[in-house]
Each structure stands twice: as C-alpha cells, then as structure tokens.
Amino acid sequence: KWRIVFPNNGRQQKDWQQASASYSGNRIQTTKYTWFTFLPKNLFEQFHRLGNLYFLFLVVLNWFPQVEVFHREITMLPLLVVLLASMIKDATEDYRKYRFDKTINFSKTRVYDK
C-alpha cells in the first residue's frame, strides 16, 4: 500500500485527513517497559540469566526439609538483592529513555513548503 502525501492545500484537506487516518504518527518510543509490563517483563528477562536461575534453584531446593542447608530466608537474600538491584537499574535506564523520547517528540521542527 502506498502512502499518499498531500501538500497543505485547503481543497484537499478532506482527502488528506482520510488518507492519513490509516498511518501511525512519527512518535519515537525507545522504552522497553510501561507501568503495567515492568514487573513481568523484567522478571522474564532476569530469569533468562543462568546465575539467577541457579539461585532460584537453591531457593526452591531449600524449601524441602530433607535437603535444607541454610535457613530459607538466608537463601532467598542473594537472589532478592540481585533482582532488586537489576530492577532499579533497568527502571532508571528506561525512565531516562522516556524523558529523552519526550524531548525529541515535543521538539519543534521546521517545514519548508514550495
């Protein structure tokens, strides 16, 4: 499907509105997360790392009394600290991307018409 671009002409304003309704805008979005998807997406990414899966395995293994070596809370502590630090880092990076996208999207542009 070809995109039709009309010049800023009063006669063709109605045609331009119909043609441009099916296309998305020029908004830039480089963020990974939204408020609703941050926790599930971030946990999904964190547990793709082998080290985090290893510590999760130790936490699950310590819930069985026959195999328990440490207290359950002590085994969960390293995993929680690493996950929390990674979440804070990812959230701050994503917020910086959001602010930069906002400044780019609301910046003024100059249009030259012939």
Side-chain angles (χ1 to χ4, degrees), residues 55-69 75:
F55 282 110
L56 180 67
F57 174 71
L58 288 179
V59 167
V60 171
L61 200 61
N62 252 354
W63 282 95
F64 296 108
Q66 299 87 359
V67 192
E68 183 179 1
V69 178
T75 310

Side-chain angles (χ1 to χ4, degrees), residues 74-98:
I74 293 175
T75 310
M76 293 170 71
L77 191 64
L79 180 64
L80 291 177
V81 167
V82 169
L83 288 179
L84 187 64
S86 297
M87 280 185 183
I88 290 171
K89 178 191 70 79
D90 289 342
T92 55
E93 286 178 0
D94 210 51
Y95 182 68
R96 286 183 190 148
K97 287 181 186 179
Y98 168 75

Side-chain angles (χ1 to χ4, degrees), residues 22-81:
S22 61
Y23 295 102
S24 63
N26 291 340
R27 194 173 71 115
I28 295 173
Q29 183 177 2
T30 58
T31 57
K32 278 192 222 179
Y33 310 109
T34 63
W35 287 104
F36 301 114
T37 63
F38 177 74
L39 190 63
K41 274 187 178 180
N42 194 280
L43 286 176
F44 182 74
E45 288 177 7
Q46 293 301 322
F47 285 116
H48 268 76
R49 295 184 181 145
L50 191 59
N52 292 342
L53 283 176
Y54 171 74
F55 282 110
L56 180 67
F57 174 71
L58 288 179
V59 167
V60 171
L61 200 61
N62 252 354
W63 282 95
F64 296 108
Q66 299 87 359
V67 192
E68 183 179 1
V69 178
F70 302 113
H71 295 288
R72 294 177 184 151
E73 297 81 18
I74 293 175
T75 310
M76 293 170 71
L77 191 64
L79 180 64
L80 291 177
V81 167

